Amino acid sequence: MPQRVRTAVFPVAGLGTRFLPATKAMPKEMLTVVDRPLIQYAVDEAREAGIEHFVFVTGRNKGVIEDHFDRQFELEQTLEVRGKTEALRELQKDLPSAGRTSFTRQQEPLGLGHAVWCARELVGNQPFALLLPDMIFRATPGVLKQMMQAYEETGGNIIGVEEVDPAETASYGIVARGEGPDSGFRITGMVEKPEPKDAPSNLFISGRYILQPEIFTLLAEQPRGTGGEIQLTDAMQTLIRQQVFTGVKYDGKVFDCGSKIGFLTANVVFALDRPDLADDFRKAVAHLL
Ligand code: G1P
């Protein structure tokens, strides 16, 4: 049995420049899809997969995220007095238990690889999950849970992948596919943001990972790559020479909420999935179109 994964890292230090002015004073991870902030979707997915310790790599102006995962006594009391017990229960259910969150800061925007490296002391010498909160999924069970099933069989490192339009490979990390089924195939290589002609496949890294702690040692030495940033994909490409990487082409679909179209689409799709909103929202949209 591989060592259990109990810690998840959430890099939330990004500046969110694509969503200005919304993100001038508010973290992009607090943008809402229907009525839940993006970060809540990622935390819920991690919890469903059995994660017990939630590590956030934050930056300046991100204090609201810490508040979001804390109790809000005044609000809770008001809900209680007004008899809004359902809303109160929902709020309490969303919270990680006491002592199960940790926060550290990425002091400079040096890239995703550097953000992950900033979590090394909090994670320690154990495997961990990594969830990029810009990416949210319509998937049952959740994508990380599906990846945990593969991890229990193979151990090592696991990367969630999905097909991308071959014209868009330069926006993502792309993996080379080796032997094995969609539920767990060997990854033989990976490249960060290749031009379509250089892409080893159309399978892109959609923001969910299970990684072994040796990645931290490599990240410490990782030179800057694409975009002048310290790239996680480059360090994983080095680790692949020593450890197994398994790809999981999960059952589900990602919405890239780092892009405006992805974010707006997610709002429509998730609203249409909500029993309390679907009928009225469908009518309102049909009327508009
Ligand atoms: C990062 C990763 C990339 C991955 C993407 C998913 O890129 O480096 O491999 O495909 O997230 O969102 P970023 O979006 O930070 O440029």
Side-chain angles (χ1 to χ4, degrees):
M1 274 288 268
Q3 191 181 350
R4 198 162 95 72
V5 181
R6 36 177 318 276
T7 298
V9 174
F10 302 85
V12 291
L15 295 174
T17 49
R18 277 190 273 182
F19 282 90
L20 285 170
T23 49
K24 190 176 165 200
M26 182 189 78
K28 67 172 170 169
E29 296 77 14
M30 292 302 291
L31 290 169
T32 52
V33 169
V34 189
D35 50 12
R36 300 172 80 70
L38 289 174
I39 188 66
Q40 186 77 54
Y41 287 90
V43 164
D44 291 348
E45 184 188 332
R47 196 192 287 120
E48 180 204 4
I51 295 298
E52 294 169 352
H53 179 201
F54 303 81
V55 173
F56 299 86
V57 181
T58 73
R60 278 179 288 282
N61 288 334
K62 302 282 182 169
V64 178
I65 296 177
E66 202 163 338
D67 294 341
H68 179 75
F69 290 109
D70 193 6
R71 297 192 67 166
Q72 238 271 38
F73 286 109
E74 207 178 310
L75 174 66
E76 289 181 22
Q77 208 184 14
T78 309
L79 290 174
E80 181 129 34
V81 168
R82 295 194 184 159
K84 303 208 173 207
T85 42
E86 184 60 25
L88 182 59
R89 228 191 346 258
E90 282 294 311
L91 270 191
Q92 289 170 343
K93 177 173 80 51
D94 290 345
L95 278 187
S97 352
R100 291 280 171 84
T101 52
S102 302
F103 295 83
T104 187
R105 279 201 184 200
Q106 183 187 25
Q107 294 153 326
E108 288 171 85
L110 296 178
L112 176 62
H114 179 259
V116 172
W117 180 72
C118 288
R120 68 198 180 282
E121 296 291 343
L122 290 170
V123 173
N125 189 26
Q126 55 165 343
F128 63 100
L130 171 65
L131 298 94
L132 310 189
D134 281 1
M135 309 299 264
I136 66 171
F137 297 84
R138 189 166 181 247
T140 316
V143 168
L144 189 62
K145 185 161 185 179
Q146 295 181 41
M147 291 167 58
M148 287 288 194
Q149 281 155 10
Y151 175 78
E152 275 157 29
E153 280 170 32
T154 61
N157 303 270
I158 313 277
I159 302 184
V161 299
E162 193 170 321
E163 281 177 5
V164 67
D165 176 345
E168 287 176 21
T169 57
S171 299
Y172 300 106
I174 307 288
V175 305
R177 180 172 185 162
E179 295 275 296
D182 284 354
S183 58
F185 59 85
R186 196 67 180 250
I187 291 178
T188 56
M190 58 195 104
V191 196
E192 182 66 11
K193 305 197 171 81
E195 290 304 322
K197 65 174 175 32
D198 304 320
S201 77
N202 67 339
L203 294 177
F204 84 105
I205 301 172
S206 60
R208 297 294 181 270
Y209 313 73
I210 296 170
L211 295 169
Q212 296 298 321
E214 287 74 21
I215 197 76
F216 292 127
T217 320
L218 296 171
L219 284 170
E221 314 257 287
Q222 186 59 49
R224 293 177 188 230
T226 307
E229 297 190 338
I230 298 171
Q231 295 291 353
L232 175 64
T233 306
D234 294 344
M236 294 194 299
Q237 171 63 25
T238 307
L239 190 57
I240 212 171
R241 293 187 207 122
Q242 302 151 29
Q243 293 185 356
V244 173
F245 275 74
T246 302
V248 173
K249 188 162 170 280
Y250 48 79
D251 202 5
K253 181 170 167 33
V254 72
F255 294 90
D256 181 352
C257 294
S259 89
K260 280 181 196 155
I261 297 294
F263 173 71
L264 294 170
T265 312
N267 267 288
V268 174
V269 170
F270 281 73
L272 290 173
D273 272 351
R274 280 270 295 261
D276 58 330
L277 297 172
D279 287 348
D280 290 345
F281 186 54
R282 185 171 291 108
K283 279 185 212 139
V285 173
H287 188 68
L288 276 179
L289 298 175

